[in-house]
Amino acid sequence: MASLRAAGMRPILAASKRIAAPSTLRQTLAVSSSRMVSSYYQGEAQGPVVKTDIPGPKSQEAITKLDTVFDTRSLNMLADYTKSFGNYIVDPDGNTLLDVYAQIASIPVGYNNPALVKAAQSPEMVNSIINRPALGNFPSHDWASVLETGILKVAPKGLNQVFTAMAGSDANETAYKAAFMWRRQKERGGPAVEFTEEEMESAMNNQSPGASQLSILSFKTGFHGRLFGSLSTTRSKPIHKLDIPAFDWPQATFPQLKYPLEEHVEENAKAEADALAEVEHLIKNWHLPPAAVIVEPIQSEGGDNHASPAFFRGLREVTQKHGVLMIVDEVQTGVGATGKFWAHDHWDLPTPPDMVTFSKKAQTAGYYFGNPELRPNKPYRQFNTWMGDPARAILFRAIIEEIERHNLVENTAKVGDYLFGKIEELAKKYPQDFQNLRGKGQGTFIAFDNPKRDQFLAKAKKFGVNIGGSGAHAVRLRPMLIFEKSHADILLEAMEKIVTSW
């Protein structure tokens, strides 16, 4: 990460050096150059524009058509991505909203980013798209270079290898497989020990005597995906898990911190100590011994639940003490949103996690690891046709270059401090509407509770903001890395209008 902190790298402020919108976007947005809000995007909207109810008539017509062929019941809003630009998402009715939800924390450097457009139009990208390789069998001659100049360029400290995947759930499930194979390999006596006939026969009957007696330990209110295996570690909402068979795997209590933190130091320390004691108890006593513990740096879908760096250092100590792997799920927290490239960089761990999973803002997915023993002892054990997507790896490389060029991780840290301080002021004026404010020092990864949360989210669109929630009561902020103080001021003004319009 030294390259991301290189001296002399600053956001490009001169208007002539801003990222320019394509001509069609500039015409659509018709922004006055005398009131530019963005330091990065020339032609970005100077503020939200709400022309109709959301959804408006054009959106409603399109949604009705879509619903005949696609389930629209979870639809938030219909977007016109040909007109969305920078921090703003535009719908078919011309409503232009400041987007601080960013495709559930998945857009890193703005809509229609010209640097990403350029990468997408490169011969290298075209080749990767139209000649998509089955990476395990037929990787491209330059696949090592693509990885080294992109995904591995920002690998977490101590983790120098990667298994690429398709999505966050996929990344976690392949990490679980790696953990189980690692554990059974140790129990057999090492990678050179061959499988017995009994093991191979029982595996074909879903009766593997060793593997079926293992588990993955996760935390209550955690979220690790919706695929079949990852669902057994997801604990945030019943709707995710209903009717799906699940493994009998343990869950520990994630510390339930009280806010403001400075007023509840002893209570919070006890909550974290109790949680660590519960983790250790489950590792030692659960009838299916955990091969790994998986944890989010900030429980995102479960309500933006935080814990201190000391808690995570303690968790690392417990896992190492008992020979259990530690998997850090950075699917939502990774790639700069917390003011560090990886959220676990805040913890100052004495030794790195065993695996770190990623997706979302990376626009690709997979897990990083360092221990060569986490490579299975034989080919085809960790395998599928695609094993990731070179096109998305190339896109992540362009994202990394854009983050580096504009110093966007540091920008996010500074803007986050500013935004948090301003929301603190709102909380003093409207204490019932901004409760349990959390995320201080965590970039723009900020949340608060609101007793009318769903109404808050709906009203936000009326005031030109697309914003999301999590857990039962949390309003979570997930702006892009190009979000600046000027955008924060627009958001803050809108939030005050929301809570004064009940």
Side-chain angles (χ1 to χ4, degrees), residues 231-295:
L231 265 180
S232 285
T233 54
T234 286
R235 315 280 188 170
S236 50
K237 292 180 182 177
I239 198 68
H240 300 145
K241 298 169 69 76
L242 287 165
D243 299 332
I244 310 300
F247 296 111
D248 186 14
W249 290 354
Q251 58 176 329
T253 302
F254 194 80
Q256 301 298 300
L257 302 186
K258 295 183 178 181
Y259 296 88
L261 294 176
E262 58 273 15
E263 296 179 13
H264 302 278
V265 174
E266 292 185 8
E267 295 168 86
N268 289 341
K270 184 179 185 303
E272 293 191 337
D274 290 346
L276 289 173
E278 184 179 0
V279 169
E280 186 162 30
H281 174 79
L282 290 169
I283 289 174
K284 293 166 62 178
N285 297 290
W286 193 257
H287 59 285
L288 305 176
V293 173
I294 187 165
V295 67

Side-chain angles (χ1 to χ4, degrees), residues 400-435:
I400 293 166
E401 291 170 354
E402 195 74 346
I403 290 171
E404 183 177 49
R405 186 163 72 98
H406 293 300
N407 222 23
L408 293 181
V409 176
E410 287 78 359
N411 170 73
T412 299
K414 293 175 182 177
V415 173
D417 288 345
Y418 173 81
L419 180 58
F420 190 92
K422 292 295 184 180
I423 299 176
E424 278 187 315
E425 294 176 11
L426 286 177
K428 291 176 182 177
K429 290 176 67 175
Y430 312 102
Q432 294 304 310
D433 294 298
F434 298 91
Q435 301 175 10

